[in-house]
Amino acid sequence: MDPSGNPVSPMEQSLHAARALVLADLVAGQVAEADVVSLVEESVVQRRWWVEQWPEGRDYVAGLVAQDVQDALLERHGRWPLCPVCGSGDPHALDVEPELGPDPHWVCHKAGVKVASVGCLGSAAGGAPPS
């Protein structure tokens, strides 16, 4: 239910979940400053229109918001999220897979491993990939 007591639509549930997952990853990476959080909000607004046009795509919103924020951060602040798996070499960002699909996760293409589901980077911060 929303504050007015109306049921929340599946589209809004997907958008709220996407926002929460990406914010959790930003907090885990200690980059959740106000200007970065505003990038999440901008993406959610844009993706709301996208889901209105293609309701079947609501399961893909979390991955798309993560990619939107990652792209915006690259332009403004640098690569995010940095790979916690590779301890040597140049720092590099993780990628979201699938690019358009359900169950998005962060992967390190250099090591060839799934690091964490979108929203769960905090559990991967120790550097060991999940089993």
Side-chain angles (χ1 to χ4, degrees):
M1 300 264 170
D2 68 14
S4 63
N6 296 319
V8 178
S9 72
M11 179 190 74
E12 286 299 321
Q13 289 174 5
S14 295
L15 292 165
H16 291 306
R19 176 188 292 115
L21 291 170
V22 174
L23 286 173
D25 285 346
L26 290 166
V27 168
Q30 300 178 341
V31 292
E33 288 89 26
D35 64 326
V36 176
V37 171
S38 71
L39 298 174
V40 177
E41 296 304 324
E42 290 171 22
S43 174
V44 168
V45 167
Q46 293 171 1
R47 293 303 174 176
R48 177 174 285 113
W49 178 87
W50 184 85
V51 175
E52 287 170 349
Q53 305 309 306
W54 189 45
E56 296 80 18
R58 70 177 174 259
D59 291 339
Y60 308 159
V61 172
L64 292 170
V65 171
Q67 291 174 65
D68 291 346
V69 171
Q70 185 178 41
D71 291 346
L73 277 172
L74 181 61
E75 293 176 12
R76 297 182 189 188
H77 298 284
R79 291 175 286 205
W80 175 84
L82 291 179
C83 179
V85 175
C86 297
S88 62
D90 291 331
H92 55 277
L94 300 173
D95 295 310
V96 175
E97 283 191 359
E99 287 187 23
L100 184 62
D103 187 30
H105 47 275
W106 296 105
V107 297
C108 171
H109 285 290
K110 187 173 180 181
V113 297
K114 175 181 172 181
V115 176
S117 294
V118 168
C120 297
L121 274 178
S123 66
S131 55

